[in-house]
Structures are given as structure tokens and as C-alpha cells.
Amino acid sequence: MLLGNGDGTFQTPKVTFTGGFWVTVGDVDGDGKPDAVITYNSPQPDVAVYKGNGDGTFQTFPPIGVATGAQNDRQGTLVDVNGDGKLDLVVSHLDFGTSVLLGNGDGTFQAAKVYIPGGRFFAVGDVNGDSKPDVLVAEECFSPTVCSSGLVSVLRGNGDGTFQGARYFGTNGSGGISHESREVDLAHQKRRTGPPIASWAPSRVRRLQ
């Protein structure tokens, strides 16, 4: 954790958490203080929730364990997918699916619902103009046996925290992910008819023209 000085520089790093694959930050318990959710690249299907103290530190022990319903957690993102004003948790799993856990607003989450497909990274945004958040998953393999090109899978949201079955789009790229930015890279997808594609960023959805 590097606290910012407000001038483009940062303070000396402090080791706040050990291990983990991905960190996402948001107020999950409604106290106005940012909390941290960490995914783990391990067989255990869970994430850890560290409640924030509001001063750049977190309650490090014990964290709240949350079962995600699948193994090998990758990206985790806090976002309100059902419009109730509470942050929900979306977690991708390499080869095991994508989990959606609705938030209760008190730092806990409801049981995970796992959707197929899975992948390393994903994006959340309204891609069909219905004002409901959708999920786009970057898959590394075109099929279980062919990994020469990647896929982008679109899970259209119903607005209540559930999602429809996946629609698949080939990327004509290797792996379907950007290895430089480590985020969902959809810029190289061929132009198609229909709404523009969105890519995930920590604070906003970007539309690629």
C-alpha cells in the first residue's frame, strides 16, 4: 500500500496484505470507509474482505472469508449489478466460470452464482444500451483444446443481479487479454454491427470507437 502525497508522488510502501492475486477497493459495509477485497490464486474458492479504518490502514485479522463457488480466483471487481445501491462482487475464475455475489451492504455477500464462461479478466458495463450492467469475459482459449486465439464472452444483465447465457465473439488475438495492461483488452476485436464494446477501468467504462 502506497499512500499518495497529492503531488504525483507516494509515501514509502507498507505491506498491508500477503499473498493474493487481485485487490479491489470499495465501501462494502456502508461506513463511508474504503474496504479491500482480495482474490487468491489457489484451490480454495474464496476471497478475503478487509474492512478499512479510514486512514489508509485495514483490519488485517481476521479477514472475512467469502466463498466464491469456484476455484482459481482471478480478477475481482466491486460494482452494483442489481441497482440497490450496495456494492456486489464479481470474480473471474480461470477455466471455472465467473461468480456474482450480491452484497448485503454490511460487508457480507450472498451465496455465489457461477456463470459460464470463466477467464482471467473481465469488464463490466452497459454494452447494449438498456441501462443494465453486462459482463464481458476475456477467455484465453477458443476451445478446451485450442488456445491459438481468444474469445470475448458477453453476459447480458437482467438488472436484478442475474445474467443471461453467454454470447461469444472471436478476437483474432492471442489469448483475448492484454498482457501489458493486465486488463480486458477488447480494442483489437473486429468492428461489428451493434453497440460499441466497453473495456473495464478501475473508475469508469471506456467505449472504444
Side-chain angles (χ1 to χ4, degrees), residues 27-28 30 78-89 100-106 108-110 131 133 159-161:
D27 181 12
V28 298
L78 291 167
V79 58
D80 184 8
V81 297
N82 62 349
D84 64 356
K86 304 171 184 176
L87 287 178
D88 309 306
L89 179 62
V100 177
L101 300 86
L102 299 181
N104 296 315
D106 58 0
T108 64
F109 296 86
Q110 299 177 31
S131 300
D160 59 359

Side-chain angles (χ1 to χ4, degrees), residues 142-181:
F142 187 81
S143 72
T145 58
V146 178
C147 288
S148 59
S149 61
L151 286 176
V152 171
S153 303
V154 179
L155 300 168
R156 292 191 175 184
N158 297 315
D160 59 359
T162 64
F163 295 85
Q164 301 174 29
R167 298 180 63 186
Y168 298 91
F169 300 89
T171 64
N172 290 332
S174 176
I177 62 174
S178 168
H179 295 281
E180 292 183 1
S181 64

Side-chain angles (χ1 to χ4, degrees), residues 15-105:
V15 178
T16 306
F17 316 107
T18 57
F21 186 87
W22 193 280
V23 179
T24 182
V25 177
D27 181 12
V28 298
D29 58 1
D31 63 358
K33 304 172 184 178
D35 310 301
V37 177
I38 301 180
T39 67
Y40 290 90
N41 179 19
S42 67
Q44 285 71 35
D46 58 14
V47 299
V49 179
Y50 293 84
K51 291 191 175 183
N53 297 316
D55 58 359
T57 64
F58 296 85
Q59 301 175 28
T60 56
F61 187 84
I64 300 173
V66 179
T68 58
Q71 298 178 349
N72 294 328
D73 298 345
R74 290 300 192 266
Q75 179 185 338
T77 294
L78 291 167
V79 58
D80 184 8
V81 297
N82 62 349
D84 64 356
K86 304 171 184 176
L87 287 178
D88 309 306
L89 179 62
V90 182
V91 180
S92 61
H93 311 275
L94 184 62
D95 301 329
F96 287 96
T98 301
S99 298
V100 177
L101 300 86
L102 299 181
N104 296 315

